[in-house]
Each structure stands twice: as structure tokens, then as C-alpha cells.
Amino acid sequence: MAGQDSNVRENAGTEVGEDQRVRRITLHDQVVTRLRDLIVEGQLAPGSRVPERELCERFDISRTPLREAMKVLAWEGLLDLSPNRGASVSEVSIEAVDEVFPVMGALEALSGELACRYVTDAEIEAINACHQRMVRHYRRRQLDEYFRCNQEIHEAILRAARNPTLARTYQGLSGRVRRMRYIANLEQSRWDQAVSEHEDMLRALHERNGEALAHILRTHLKNKLDAVKDYLVQRKGTTDAD
Amino acid sequence: MAGQDSNVRENAGTEVGEDQRVRRITLHDQVVTRLRDLIVEGQLAPGSRVPERELCERFDISRTPLREAMKVLAWEGLLDLSPNRGASVSEVSIEAVDEVFPVMGALEALSGELACRYVTDAEIEAINACHQRMVRHYRRRQLDEYFRCNQEIHEAILRAARNPTLARTYQGLSGRVRRMRYIANLEQSRWDQAVSEHEDMLRALHERNGEALAHILRTHLKNKLDAVKDYLVQRKGTTDAD
DNA sequence: CGATTGAATTTTGTATACAATTTTGGCCTA
DNA sequence: TAGGCCAAAATTGTATACAAAATTCAATCG
């Protein structure tokens, strides 16, 4: 009876569930994706102001779709908007990391539990294949490819949780954290640890041990964010006195 | 050092933390709040289409700020947008409730734990006062006033968690659920139960027992959503055959 | 020489105009 | 009469124009 349910959604670009049947994507949707990538990849430095004019020229569009996109990114927390004073890329502070962690941690743990409940054998196999690819990239020290597989795995788990609301909520937060991986490059010891944690994940998924997977995902996230925080502390030390 | 932090935020209307020093609120911010209220209060029926023209006339504004507001509400999940085909109010289905519960439950539990960690005696006292008011309204069967106190308490707990990201994320989801309280009116037995659960909450908060509060909040939410689901099932039964 | 005030410039907020797509209604045909 | 096709209307997507606020910079005053 409820026909309106599986409609095309906004921000299709970063959704976990893929409805790729949309051929005509609106301009501001593209802008949301492209602008988010710009921020996430650090091409727009945290704290820097973002005049509308500049972005209009860069994307070669008018202000209307750009502003609509900026509203969404402000809601996601990637931009700070001040009335009549414009937009600036939100800062990545240690406090922000500490603030985001418990929330993402709770969601990540939940996704682990739900994923173990609903994941299919085929999905586990696919995730396993992706994991093996990731390990190969890890051995060859191919950072970019490694990250791509890494994110693919996390998205697959999120998808296996069979909860679009969870996925959307998590992704909304992850943008703020994802860019940190560009800011803080992986140290070798942390990298070894991360791969080891991923092994644990796969095992828990195989055994469909939701509690274990939840715990691993949470720890995994915490370790990752701690690494980012270390980097931020260190960086702060170079600019501040003492 | 990071000066951009405590800037005015978008959607100030429903934030938990109150920065009321802003005198000049932009038009689309007002529209976000007003349109959300319209949806939450059920004045725009779930599933109904929402032509821009109509809302422009109702709010007496042009399409530009309205569209910016609609983008945000679509992100919140209150509106479904289809390119070139307009907006419709998202449906409130049983599946949607089941989907939202685990996510909100996890966040609610988290807020309980954090609140017990950071809440001050003064805050507990304020919450307690609000609780007493709520009980009075409950005894007098004043539904609207009861709900107002109820929401105030939940917001106070969320605020005590000292985590704006958590608050924002939770509020983003709560809009979808809040309107259900208008759809499904409280039955007496459920009402008794809810008040009793609130007593438990206050006790846990007093004892600063985070684990207990987390559990109570989660159960409280589950009971509330179950009541909504019962109502939806019943309602569906009257329209569908069997 | 520094601070303050005020006009010019820039930037944002809102409204309107134009283009493109979808929906609707009617007409024609099989 | 039913179905399909084309045109007209309505609705959405985008661009531009105008208004208001904020920033800048310089000139004047202390």
C-alpha cells in the first residue's frame, strides 16, 4: 500500500545501499558528493572559509544548487554556517574526535550485532575476498588501495545489518572522521594492528558471533581514533609553545 | 585556538543546547523548524505530496529558502524527494519503526551512560522538578502538558551527556518518531507504565548508575514504539482485508 | 601615531525569471 | 469504447537579479 517508500533518495552518492537506476541526477546532488569529497580529502583545509563565489566557479554552477548542497553538508557537520557570514570547513579537533567516538562506536557495535544476525554466506564470502585483496595491498604497502578495500568491508558489514537508517546515520557521521585518514597517515605499527583486527572481524562474522564482532568493531574504531588523536597532539605541539 | 567552534548552527530551533543570542535567524532556518513541526504534528499527512507552490503560499516566502529547508528535512528522513517529481511526506510504517528502534535505542542507552557520568546535582534537581510537574499533569490527565514535560526531561538527559554530536544525531532521528505520538494516542495502561519507567530513570540518575539508566531508557523507548506499532497494526486492520 | 568612524566593496539572503521535465487532458484512431 | 499519442499546463531545476548585512579600507580626529 505504501508506494512512496523505495523512492530515489537524496545524496545517493554515498549511500551504502545502491540504487543506481537513477540516470538523471540533479546538480545539487552531484555537488553534495563532490564538495564532500573535497572536504574529506582535505583539499579544503579545516577551518578555512569557503566563499560561495569560489565554489561556484570551481564547479561551474550557479549559487542556488550550491547553497542547497551546503545546507546538507552543514547538517552533516562538515561545514559551519553562520548567517550572513558564510561557511567554513569545520575543524578537526581532539575534542571533536572524543565527541564523535562514543556515538560512532555505539552505531558500529550495533551494526556488528545486526550484521551477524542477517549476513548471508554469499556476503561473508564476498567480504572475505575483499579482505584478502586488502591484505595483499597491505603486504605491498599500497595505502590507497588498502583504504579502498577497508572502506568497502566496513560498508559491506553496514549493509549486512539490513538497516538503512543505521547506515544513513553512520555515514552521516563517518564523513567527519573519514577525512582524518587523509590527515593522519597510518603508522606501521598501527597498520599491523588494524589488519590483525580485521582478521578478528572476519572470524567473528564467520561464527556469527554478534557480541564479539560488536566489541571488535568498537575497539577497532577506538584504536583508529586514538591514532588520529596522537597525530593531532603531535601536530599541535609543533605550532603551540610547549 | 579554534575560533570557529561555537558558531551559530543551522536548525537552531530544535537543538538541545540553546544559543538564544542569535536575534536574526535566517528565513530557511525558520522554515526548517516550521515545516518539521507541520510534519511531526501530522498536519501534513504521511504519504501526501507536498508541492512547493503550496508551502510557499502557506509560509509566504519564495521557493529558494523553502527548497533549502526541504533538502535538510529530506536528509532527516521526514521528506522523500524525487528529482523532477517533487516531495512527499515519508510514510510511518511498522517496518520504519522496527528500523529506527535499534538505532535510537543504542543512542539513548549511550546518552544514559554519559549522562550519569557528567550530570551535576543541580541538573538532577531540575530534572526532578520537571518530573514532579509531569506527574501532576499525568494525574490530571493533561496530555499535552505531560508530553511537554516528558520531552523536556529527555532533552535534559541528552544535554547532560555533554555530547552535542550525540544530541544532534539523536534529534535527527527523533523527528521521525516524535510524530508518532500524535498519531498514536496514549492508552491508559501504557501511560501508567511510562510514568513508572520515568520514576526508575530518576532513581538511576540519582544513583548515577549509568548501566541501569541505559537499560531503562532503552526499554522505555521500546515500550513506546511497541505501543505505536500496535496502533499501526490495528489501523492497518481497519483498511486492509484481514 | 593610533583609534574610530563611515563610505565603498564584497558576500550572503531572498525573490524572480527562465529552462527542462513531468503530468494532464483531449483528440484521434483502431 | 479503449488505448495511444501529442499538445498544453503545471511543477521542478537552475540561473540571475536585487536587497541587506558584513567586511574592508581609508580618511579624519584625538
PDB file of all heavy atoms in Angstrom, chain D residues 3-16:
ATOM      1  P    DG D   3      -7.644  -0.380 -22.473  1.00  0.00           P
ATOM      2  OP1  DG D   3      -7.281  -1.736 -22.050  1.00  0.00           O
ATOM      3  OP2  DG D   3      -7.937   0.654 -21.467  1.00  0.00           O
ATOM      4  O5'  DG D   3      -6.494   0.159 -23.435  1.00  0.00           O
ATOM      5  C5'  DG D   3      -6.357  -0.392 -24.746  1.00  0.00           C
ATOM      6  C4'  DG D   3      -5.596   0.567 -25.627  1.00  0.00           C
ATOM      7  O4'  DG D   3      -6.476   1.634 -26.070  1.00  0.00           O
ATOM      8  C3'  DG D   3      -4.414   1.253 -24.918  1.00  0.00           C
ATOM      9  O3'  DG D   3      -3.270   1.158 -25.734  1.00  0.00           O
ATOM     10  C2'  DG D   3      -4.874   2.699 -24.754  1.00  0.00           C
ATOM     11  C1'  DG D   3      -5.778   2.866 -25.966  1.00  0.00           C
ATOM     12  N9   DG D   3      -6.770   3.916 -25.821  1.00  0.00           N
ATOM     13  C8   DG D   3      -7.608   4.128 -24.758  1.00  0.00           C
ATOM     14  N7   DG D   3      -8.392   5.152 -24.913  1.00  0.00           N
ATOM     15  C5   DG D   3      -8.049   5.667 -26.166  1.00  0.00           C
ATOM     16  C6   DG D   3      -8.560   6.789 -26.853  1.00  0.00           C
ATOM     17  O6   DG D   3      -9.448   7.567 -26.511  1.00  0.00           O
ATOM     18  N1   DG D   3      -7.925   6.951 -28.097  1.00  0.00           N
ATOM     19  C2   DG D   3      -6.935   6.136 -28.585  1.00  0.00           C
ATOM     20  N2   DG D   3      -6.453   6.440 -29.786  1.00  0.00           N
ATOM     21  N3   DG D   3      -6.444   5.086 -27.930  1.00  0.00           N
ATOM     22  C4   DG D   3      -7.052   4.917 -26.739  1.00  0.00           C
ATOM     23  P    DG D   4      -1.819   1.375 -25.120  1.00  0.00           P
ATOM     24  OP1  DG D   4      -1.084   0.106 -25.170  1.00  0.00           O
ATOM     25  OP2  DG D   4      -1.991   2.100 -23.849  1.00  0.00           O
ATOM     26  O5'  DG D   4      -1.154   2.370 -26.180  1.00  0.00           O
ATOM     27  C5'  DG D   4      -1.482   2.221 -27.564  1.00  0.00           C
ATOM     28  C4'  DG D   4      -1.393   3.567 -28.253  1.00  0.00           C
ATOM     29  O4'  DG D   4      -2.578   4.368 -27.946  1.00  0.00           O
ATOM     30  C3'  DG D   4      -0.198   4.417 -27.836  1.00  0.00           C
ATOM     31  O3'  DG D   4       0.356   5.034 -28.983  1.00  0.00           O
ATOM     32  C2'  DG D   4      -0.814   5.453 -26.895  1.00  0.00           C
ATOM     33  C1'  DG D   4      -2.159   5.662 -27.562  1.00  0.00           C
ATOM     34  N9   DG D   4      -3.174   6.224 -26.676  1.00  0.00           N
ATOM     35  C8   DG D   4      -3.521   5.781 -25.413  1.00  0.00           C
ATOM     36  N7   DG D   4      -4.469   6.486 -24.868  1.00  0.00           N
ATOM     37  C5   DG D   4      -4.780   7.461 -25.817  1.00  0.00           C
ATOM     38  C6   DG D   4      -5.731   8.501 -25.782  1.00  0.00           C
ATOM     39  O6   DG D   4      -6.518   8.789 -24.885  1.00  0.00           O
ATOM     40  N1   DG D   4      -5.710   9.255 -26.964  1.00  0.00           N
ATOM     41  C2   DG D   4      -4.873   9.012 -28.023  1.00  0.00           C
ATOM     42  N2   DG D   4      -5.006   9.846 -29.059  1.00  0.00           N
ATOM     43  N3   DG D   4      -3.978   8.044 -28.071  1.00  0.00           N
ATOM     44  C4   DG D   4      -3.985   7.311 -26.938  1.00  0.00           C
ATOM     45  P    DC D   5       1.919   5.426 -29.024  1.00  0.00           P
ATOM     46  OP1  DC D   5       2.597   4.462 -29.900  1.00  0.00           O
ATOM     47  OP2  DC D   5       2.356   5.601 -27.632  1.00  0.00           O
ATOM     48  O5'  DC D   5       1.931   6.845 -29.739  1.00  0.00           O
ATOM     49  C5'  DC D   5       0.944   7.130 -30.732  1.00  0.00           C
ATOM     50  C4'  DC D   5       0.542   8.584 -30.662  1.00  0.00           C
ATOM     51  O4'  DC D   5      -0.490   8.775 -29.658  1.00  0.00           O
ATOM     52  C3'  DC D   5       1.681   9.544 -30.292  1.00  0.00           C
ATOM     53  O3'  DC D   5       1.667  10.641 -31.178  1.00  0.00           O
ATOM     54  C2'  DC D   5       1.335   9.971 -28.875  1.00  0.00           C
ATOM     55  C1'  DC D   5      -0.182   9.940 -28.917  1.00  0.00           C
ATOM     56  N1   DC D   5      -0.814   9.809 -27.582  1.00  0.00           N
ATOM     57  C2   DC D   5      -1.873  10.676 -27.232  1.00  0.00           C
ATOM     58  O2   DC D   5      -2.252  11.523 -28.044  1.00  0.00           O
ATOM     59  N3   DC D   5      -2.443  10.553 -26.003  1.00  0.00           N
ATOM     60  C4   DC D   5      -2.007   9.620 -25.155  1.00  0.00           C
ATOM     61  N4   DC D   5      -2.609   9.546 -23.971  1.00  0.00           N
ATOM     62  C5   DC D   5      -0.942   8.741 -25.496  1.00  0.00           C
ATOM     63  C6   DC D   5      -0.374   8.867 -26.696  1.00  0.00           C
ATOM     64  P    DC D   6       3.062  11.419 -31.499  1.00  0.00           P
ATOM     65  OP1  DC D   6       3.457  11.107 -32.886  1.00  0.00           O
ATOM     66  OP2  DC D   6       3.989  11.157 -30.380  1.00  0.00           O
ATOM     67  O5'  DC D   6       2.632  12.947 -31.439  1.00  0.00           O
ATOM     68  C5'  DC D   6       1.395  13.358 -32.024  1.00  0.00           C
ATOM     69  C4'  DC D   6       0.785  14.495 -31.225  1.00  0.00           C
ATOM     70  O4'  DC D   6       0.195  13.977 -30.008  1.00  0.00           O
ATOM     71  C3'  DC D   6       1.784  15.581 -30.781  1.00  0.00           C
ATOM     72  O3'  DC D   6       1.244  16.850 -31.092  1.00  0.00           O
ATOM     73  C2'  DC D   6       1.901  15.378 -29.274  1.00  0.00           C
ATOM     74  C1'  DC D   6       0.506  14.865 -28.939  1.00  0.00           C
ATOM     75  N1   DC D   6       0.428  14.092 -27.676  1.00  0.00           N
ATOM     76  C2   DC D   6      -0.576  14.402 -26.731  1.00  0.00           C
ATOM     77  O2   DC D   6      -1.388  15.305 -26.997  1.00  0.00           O
ATOM     78  N3   DC D   6      -0.632  13.701 -25.578  1.00  0.00           N
ATOM     79  C4   DC D   6       0.248  12.732 -25.337  1.00  0.00           C
ATOM     80  N4   DC D   6       0.144  12.082 -24.186  1.00  0.00           N
ATOM     81  C5   DC D   6       1.274  12.412 -26.263  1.00  0.00           C
ATOM     82  C6   DC D   6       1.334  13.114 -27.408  1.00  0.00           C
ATOM     83  P    DA D   7       2.207  18.114 -31.194  1.00  0.00           P
ATOM     84  OP1  DA D   7       2.201  18.594 -32.591  1.00  0.00           O
ATOM     85  OP2  DA D   7       3.473  17.777 -30.516  1.00  0.00           O
ATOM     86  O5'  DA D   7       1.428  19.184 -30.306  1.00  0.00           O
ATOM     87  C5'  DA D   7       0.024  19.370 -30.511  1.00  0.00           C
ATOM     88  C4'  DA D   7      -0.621  19.850 -29.225  1.00  0.00           C
ATOM     89  O4'  DA D   7      -0.558  18.802 -28.225  1.00  0.00           O
ATOM     90  C3'  DA D   7       0.048  21.077 -28.600  1.00  0.00           C
ATOM     91  O3'  DA D   7      -0.946  21.949 -28.102  1.00  0.00           O
ATOM     92  C2'  DA D   7       0.870  20.485 -27.459  1.00  0.00           C
ATOM     93  C1'  DA D   7      -0.027  19.346 -27.022  1.00  0.00           C
ATOM     94  N9   DA D   7       0.666  18.267 -26.315  1.00  0.00           N
ATOM     95  C8   DA D   7       1.799  17.609 -26.700  1.00  0.00           C
ATOM     96  N7   DA D   7       2.173  16.676 -25.856  1.00  0.00           N
ATOM     97  C5   DA D   7       1.227  16.732 -24.841  1.00  0.00           C
ATOM     98  C6   DA D   7       1.064  15.998 -23.652  1.00  0.00           C
ATOM     99  N6   DA D   7       1.887  15.033 -23.266  1.00  0.00           N
ATOM    100  N1   DA D   7       0.003  16.315 -22.873  1.00  0.00           N
ATOM    101  C2   DA D   7      -0.828  17.289 -23.268  1.00  0.00           C
ATOM    102  N3   DA D   7      -0.773  18.039 -24.370  1.00  0.00           N
ATOM    103  C4   DA D   7       0.280  17.707 -25.116  1.00  0.00           C
ATOM    104  P    DA D   8      -0.686  23.506 -27.963  1.00  0.00           P
ATOM    105  OP1  DA D   8      -1.593  24.226 -28.881  1.00  0.00           O
ATOM    106  OP2  DA D   8       0.774  23.698 -28.051  1.00  0.00           O
ATOM    107  O5'  DA D   8      -1.156  23.779 -26.475  1.00  0.00           O
ATOM    108  C5'  DA D   8      -2.428  23.288 -26.058  1.00  0.00           C
ATOM    109  C4'  DA D   8      -2.442  23.107 -24.553  1.00  0.00           C
ATOM    110  O4'  DA D   8      -1.656  21.941 -24.180  1.00  0.00           O
ATOM    111  C3'  DA D   8      -1.859  24.273 -23.754  1.00  0.00           C
ATOM    112  O3'  DA D   8      -2.724  24.567 -22.673  1.00  0.00           O
ATOM    113  C2'  DA D   8      -0.518  23.756 -23.259  1.00  0.00           C
ATOM    114  C1'  DA D   8      -0.813  22.279 -23.097  1.00  0.00           C
ATOM    115  N9   DA D   8       0.368  21.422 -23.163  1.00  0.00           N
ATOM    116  C8   DA D   8       1.363  21.453 -24.082  1.00  0.00           C
ATOM    117  N7   DA D   8       2.299  20.542 -23.899  1.00  0.00           N
ATOM    118  C5   DA D   8       1.869  19.869 -22.763  1.00  0.00           C
ATOM    119  C6   DA D   8       2.414  18.779 -22.052  1.00  0.00           C
ATOM    120  N6   DA D   8       3.552  18.177 -22.391  1.00  0.00           N
ATOM    121  N1   DA D   8       1.739  18.355 -20.977  1.00  0.00           N
ATOM    122  C2   DA D   8       0.589  18.962 -20.642  1.00  0.00           C
ATOM    123  N3   DA D   8      -0.022  19.992 -21.240  1.00  0.00           N
ATOM    124  C4   DA D   8       0.681  20.393 -22.308  1.00  0.00           C
ATOM    125  P    DA D   9      -2.605  25.975 -21.916  1.00  0.00           P
ATOM    126  OP1  DA D   9      -3.902  26.656 -22.024  1.00  0.00           O
ATOM    127  OP2  DA D   9      -1.361  26.640 -22.362  1.00  0.00           O
ATOM    128  O5'  DA D   9      -2.414  25.488 -20.411  1.00  0.00           O
ATOM    129  C5'  DA D   9      -3.207  24.416 -19.923  1.00  0.00           C
ATOM    130  C4'  DA D   9      -2.533  23.754 -18.732  1.00  0.00           C
ATOM    131  O4'  DA D   9      -1.425  22.945 -19.180  1.00  0.00           O
ATOM    132  C3'  DA D   9      -1.961  24.735 -17.712  1.00  0.00           C
ATOM    133  O3'  DA D   9      -2.512  24.452 -16.432  1.00  0.00           O
ATOM    134  C2'  DA D   9      -0.454  24.505 -17.730  1.00  0.00           C
ATOM    135  C1'  DA D   9      -0.350  23.092 -18.274  1.00  0.00           C
ATOM    136  N9   DA D   9       0.879  22.834 -19.034  1.00  0.00           N
ATOM    137  C8   DA D   9       1.374  23.554 -20.078  1.00  0.00           C
ATOM    138  N7   DA D   9       2.505  23.063 -20.576  1.00  0.00           N
ATOM    139  C5   DA D   9       2.745  21.949 -19.786  1.00  0.00           C
ATOM    140  C6   DA D   9       3.782  20.995 -19.803  1.00  0.00           C
ATOM    141  N6   DA D   9       4.794  21.022 -20.663  1.00  0.00           N
ATOM    142  N1   DA D   9       3.728  20.010 -18.893  1.00  0.00           N
ATOM    143  C2   DA D   9       2.706  19.992 -18.024  1.00  0.00           C
ATOM    144  N3   DA D   9       1.668  20.825 -17.917  1.00  0.00           N
ATOM    145  C4   DA D   9       1.755  21.785 -18.837  1.00  0.00           C
ATOM    146  P    DA D  10      -2.237  25.442 -15.204  1.00  0.00           P
ATOM    147  OP1  DA D  10      -3.530  25.640 -14.500  1.00  0.00           O
ATOM    148  OP2  DA D  10      -1.455  26.614 -15.678  1.00  0.00           O
ATOM    149  O5'  DA D  10      -1.308  24.536 -14.283  1.00  0.00           O
ATOM    150  C5'  DA D  10      -1.594  23.140 -14.179  1.00  0.00           C
ATOM    151  C4'  DA D  10      -0.391  22.396 -13.623  1.00  0.00           C
ATOM    152  O4'  DA D  10       0.610  22.233 -14.651  1.00  0.00           O
ATOM    153  C3'  DA D  10       0.315  23.110 -12.466  1.00  0.00           C
ATOM    154  O3'  DA D  10       0.602  22.166 -11.453  1.00  0.00           O
ATOM    155  C2'  DA D  10       1.594  23.649 -13.091  1.00  0.00           C
ATOM    156  C1'  DA D  10       1.878  22.583 -14.130  1.00  0.00           C
ATOM    157  N9   DA D  10       2.710  23.034 -15.237  1.00  0.00           N
ATOM    158  C8   DA D  10       2.562  24.161 -15.994  1.00  0.00           C
ATOM    159  N7   DA D  10       3.462  24.296 -16.928  1.00  0.00           N
ATOM    160  C5   DA D  10       4.261  23.162 -16.786  1.00  0.00           C
ATOM    161  C6   DA D  10       5.392  22.713 -17.488  1.00  0.00           C
ATOM    162  N6   DA D  10       5.948  23.366 -18.511  1.00  0.00           N
ATOM    163  N1   DA D  10       5.958  21.545 -17.081  1.00  0.00           N
ATOM    164  C2   DA D  10       5.399  20.890 -16.053  1.00  0.00           C
ATOM    165  N3   DA D  10       4.338  21.212 -15.320  1.00  0.00           N
ATOM    166  C4   DA D  10       3.805  22.371 -15.747  1.00  0.00           C
ATOM    167  P    DT D  11       0.990  22.672  -9.988  1.00  0.00           P
ATOM    168  OP1  DT D  11       0.070  22.036  -9.029  1.00  0.00           O
ATOM    169  OP2  DT D  11       1.164  24.142 -10.017  1.00  0.00           O
ATOM    170  O5'  DT D  11       2.432  22.012  -9.774  1.00  0.00           O
ATOM    171  C5'  DT D  11       2.675  20.682 -10.234  1.00  0.00           C
ATOM    172  C4'  DT D  11       4.164  20.457 -10.340  1.00  0.00           C
ATOM    173  O4'  DT D  11       4.635  20.931 -11.623  1.00  0.00           O
ATOM    174  C3'  DT D  11       4.991  21.199  -9.286  1.00  0.00           C
ATOM    175  O3'  DT D  11       5.858  20.299  -8.620  1.00  0.00           O
ATOM    176  C2'  DT D  11       5.765  22.237 -10.072  1.00  0.00           C
ATOM    177  C1'  DT D  11       5.875  21.570 -11.438  1.00  0.00           C
ATOM    178  N1   DT D  11       6.086  22.537 -12.538  1.00  0.00           N
ATOM    179  C2   DT D  11       7.017  22.258 -13.496  1.00  0.00           C
ATOM    180  O2   DT D  11       7.678  21.239 -13.494  1.00  0.00           O
ATOM    181  N3   DT D  11       7.148  23.211 -14.477  1.00  0.00           N
ATOM    182  C4   DT D  11       6.440  24.403 -14.577  1.00  0.00           C
ATOM    183  O4   DT D  11       6.655  25.184 -15.504  1.00  0.00           O
ATOM    184  C5   DT D  11       5.485  24.639 -13.535  1.00  0.00           C
ATOM    185  C7   DT D  11       4.672  25.903 -13.545  1.00  0.00           C
ATOM    186  C6   DT D  11       5.348  23.702 -12.579  1.00  0.00           C
ATOM    187  P    DT D  12       6.716  20.776  -7.362  1.00  0.00           P
ATOM    188  OP1  DT D  12       6.452  19.848  -6.264  1.00  0.00           O
ATOM    189  OP2  DT D  12       6.540  22.221  -7.184  1.00  0.00           O
ATOM    190  O5'  DT D  12       8.208  20.520  -7.881  1.00  0.00           O
ATOM    191  C5'  DT D  12       8.526  19.282  -8.486  1.00  0.00           C
ATOM    192  C4'  DT D  12       9.728  19.436  -9.394  1.00  0.00           C
ATOM    193  O4'  DT D  12       9.436  20.410 -10.429  1.00  0.00           O
ATOM    194  C3'  DT D  12      10.996  19.940  -8.684  1.00  0.00           C
ATOM    195  O3'  DT D  12      12.072  19.087  -9.006  1.00  0.00           O
ATOM    196  C2'  DT D  12      11.192  21.339  -9.242  1.00  0.00           C
ATOM    197  C1'  DT D  12      10.569  21.233 -10.623  1.00  0.00           C
ATOM    198  N1   DT D  12      10.119  22.534 -11.179  1.00  0.00           N
ATOM    199  C2   DT D  12      10.647  22.950 -12.372  1.00  0.00           C
ATOM    200  O2   DT D  12      11.475  22.319 -13.006  1.00  0.00           O
ATOM    201  N3   DT D  12      10.168  24.169 -12.819  1.00  0.00           N
ATOM    202  C4   DT D  12       9.227  24.971 -12.203  1.00  0.00           C
ATOM    203  O4   DT D  12       8.880  26.038 -12.701  1.00  0.00           O
ATOM    204  C5   DT D  12       8.723  24.462 -10.950  1.00  0.00           C
ATOM    205  C7   DT D  12       7.702  25.243 -10.196  1.00  0.00           C
ATOM    206  C6   DT D  12       9.182  23.284 -10.505  1.00  0.00           C
ATOM    207  P    DG D  13      13.508  19.322  -8.312  1.00  0.00           P
ATOM    208  OP1  DG D  13      14.128  18.013  -8.088  1.00  0.00           O
ATOM    209  OP2  DG D  13      13.314  20.254  -7.189  1.00  0.00           O
ATOM    210  O5'  DG D  13      14.317  20.084  -9.450  1.00  0.00           O
ATOM    211  C5'  DG D  13      14.837  19.326 -10.551  1.00  0.00           C
ATOM    212  C4'  DG D  13      15.791  20.169 -11.367  1.00  0.00           C
ATOM    213  O4'  DG D  13      15.077  21.294 -11.916  1.00  0.00           O
ATOM    214  C3'  DG D  13      16.958  20.756 -10.564  1.00  0.00           C
ATOM    215  O3'  DG D  13      18.153  20.671 -11.347  1.00  0.00           O
ATOM    216  C2'  DG D  13      16.542  22.197 -10.320  1.00  0.00           C
ATOM    217  C1'  DG D  13      15.720  22.512 -11.568  1.00  0.00           C
ATOM    218  N9   DG D  13      14.678  23.514 -11.361  1.00  0.00           N
ATOM    219  C8   DG D  13      13.717  23.520 -10.379  1.00  0.00           C
ATOM    220  N7   DG D  13      12.917  24.554 -10.455  1.00  0.00           N
ATOM    221  C5   DG D  13      13.373  25.269 -11.547  1.00  0.00           C
ATOM    222  C6   DG D  13      12.904  26.477 -12.126  1.00  0.00           C
ATOM    223  O6   DG D  13      11.959  27.177 -11.764  1.00  0.00           O
ATOM    224  N1   DG D  13      13.667  26.845 -13.237  1.00  0.00           N
ATOM    225  C2   DG D  13      14.740  26.136 -13.724  1.00  0.00           C
ATOM    226  N2   DG D  13      15.352  26.646 -14.785  1.00  0.00           N
ATOM    227  N3   DG D  13      15.185  25.006 -13.191  1.00  0.00           N
ATOM    228  C4   DG D  13      14.465  24.636 -12.123  1.00  0.00           C
ATOM    229  P    DT D  14      19.535  21.116 -10.754  1.00  0.00           P
ATOM    230  OP1  DT D  14      20.571  20.283 -11.365  1.00  0.00           O
ATOM    231  OP2  DT D  14      19.415  21.203  -9.289  1.00  0.00           O
ATOM    232  O5'  DT D  14      19.660  22.589 -11.346  1.00  0.00           O
ATOM    233  C5'  DT D  14      19.745  22.774 -12.764  1.00  0.00           C
ATOM    234  C4'  DT D  14      19.772  24.238 -13.107  1.00  0.00           C
ATOM    235  O4'  DT D  14      18.533  24.873 -12.696  1.00  0.00           O
ATOM    236  C3'  DT D  14      20.887  25.062 -12.458  1.00  0.00           C
ATOM    237  O3'  DT D  14      21.746  25.524 -13.481  1.00  0.00           O
ATOM    238  C2'  DT D  14      20.170  26.192 -11.721  1.00  0.00           C
ATOM    239  C1'  DT D  14      18.803  26.205 -12.382  1.00  0.00           C
ATOM    240  N1   DT D  14      17.688  26.683 -11.530  1.00  0.00           N
ATOM    241  C2   DT D  14      17.008  27.813 -11.912  1.00  0.00           C
ATOM    242  O2   DT D  14      17.285  28.438 -12.902  1.00  0.00           O
ATOM    243  N3   DT D  14      15.984  28.170 -11.073  1.00  0.00           N
ATOM    244  C4   DT D  14      15.576  27.528  -9.916  1.00  0.00           C
ATOM    245  O4   DT D  14      14.636  27.947  -9.257  1.00  0.00           O
ATOM    246  C5   DT D  14      16.332  26.353  -9.583  1.00  0.00           C
ATOM    247  C7   DT D  14      15.960  25.569  -8.363  1.00  0.00           C
ATOM    248  C6   DT D  14      17.339  25.991 -10.390  1.00  0.00           C
ATOM    249  P    DA D  15      23.029  26.396 -13.139  1.00  0.00           P
ATOM    250  OP1  DA D  15      24.076  26.086 -14.129  1.00  0.00           O
ATOM    251  OP2  DA D  15      23.314  26.272 -11.701  1.00  0.00           O
ATOM    252  O5'  DA D  15      22.495  27.857 -13.455  1.00  0.00           O
ATOM    253  C5'  DA D  15      21.903  28.114 -14.723  1.00  0.00           C
ATOM    254  C4'  DA D  15      21.399  29.539 -14.787  1.00  0.00           C
ATOM    255  O4'  DA D  15      20.246  29.676 -13.943  1.00  0.00           O
ATOM    256  C3'  DA D  15      22.402  30.607 -14.355  1.00  0.00           C
ATOM    257  O3'  DA D  15      22.503  31.588 -15.371  1.00  0.00           O
ATOM    258  C2'  DA D  15      21.828  31.161 -13.054  1.00  0.00           C
ATOM    259  C1'  DA D  15      20.348  30.881 -13.208  1.00  0.00           C
ATOM    260  N9   DA D  15      19.648  30.650 -11.939  1.00  0.00           N
ATOM    261  C8   DA D  15      19.929  29.685 -11.014  1.00  0.00           C
ATOM    262  N7   DA D  15      19.129  29.688  -9.977  1.00  0.00           N
ATOM    263  C5   DA D  15      18.256  30.733 -10.240  1.00  0.00           C
ATOM    264  C6   DA D  15      17.162  31.261  -9.521  1.00  0.00           C
ATOM    265  N6   DA D  15      16.766  30.768  -8.349  1.00  0.00           N
ATOM    266  N1   DA D  15      16.507  32.308 -10.070  1.00  0.00           N
ATOM    267  C2   DA D  15      16.915  32.788 -11.250  1.00  0.00           C
ATOM    268  N3   DA D  15      17.922  32.379 -12.021  1.00  0.00           N
ATOM    269  C4   DA D  15      18.554  31.335 -11.450  1.00  0.00           C
ATOM    270  P    DT D  16      23.614  32.739 -15.252  1.00  0.00           P
ATOM    271  OP1  DT D  16      24.059  33.025 -16.619  1.00  0.00           O
ATOM    272  OP2  DT D  16      24.584  32.389 -14.202  1.00  0.00           O
ATOM    273  O5'  DT D  16      22.761  34.002 -14.748  1.00  0.00           O
ATOM    274  C5'  DT D  16      21.585  34.349 -15.462  1.00  0.00           C
ATOM    275  C4'  DT D  16      20.732  35.309 -14.673  1.00  0.00           C
ATOM    276  O4'  DT D  16      20.187  34.650 -13.494  1.00  0.00           O
ATOM    277  C3'  DT D  16      21.454  36.560 -14.155  1.00  0.00           C
ATOM    278  O3'  DT D  16      20.672  37.688 -14.509  1.00  0.00           O
ATOM    279  C2'  DT D  16      21.501  36.345 -12.650  1.00  0.00           C
ATOM    280  C1'  DT D  16      20.199  35.584 -12.442  1.00  0.00           C
ATOM    281  N1   DT D  16      20.107  34.842 -11.167  1.00  0.00           N
ATOM    282  C2   DT D  16      19.054  35.091 -10.322  1.00  0.00           C
ATOM    283  O2   DT D  16      18.183  35.899 -10.577  1.00  0.00           O
ATOM    284  N3   DT D  16      19.053  34.363  -9.166  1.00  0.00           N
ATOM    285  C4   DT D  16      19.982  33.411  -8.775  1.00  0.00           C
ATOM    286  O4   DT D  16      19.873  32.827  -7.715  1.00  0.00           O
ATOM    287  C5   DT D  16      21.069  33.198  -9.701  1.00  0.00           C
ATOM    288  C7   DT D  16      22.122  32.212  -9.379  1.00  0.00           C
ATOM    289  C6   DT D  16      21.077  33.910 -10.832  1.00  0.00           C
TER     290       DT D  16
END
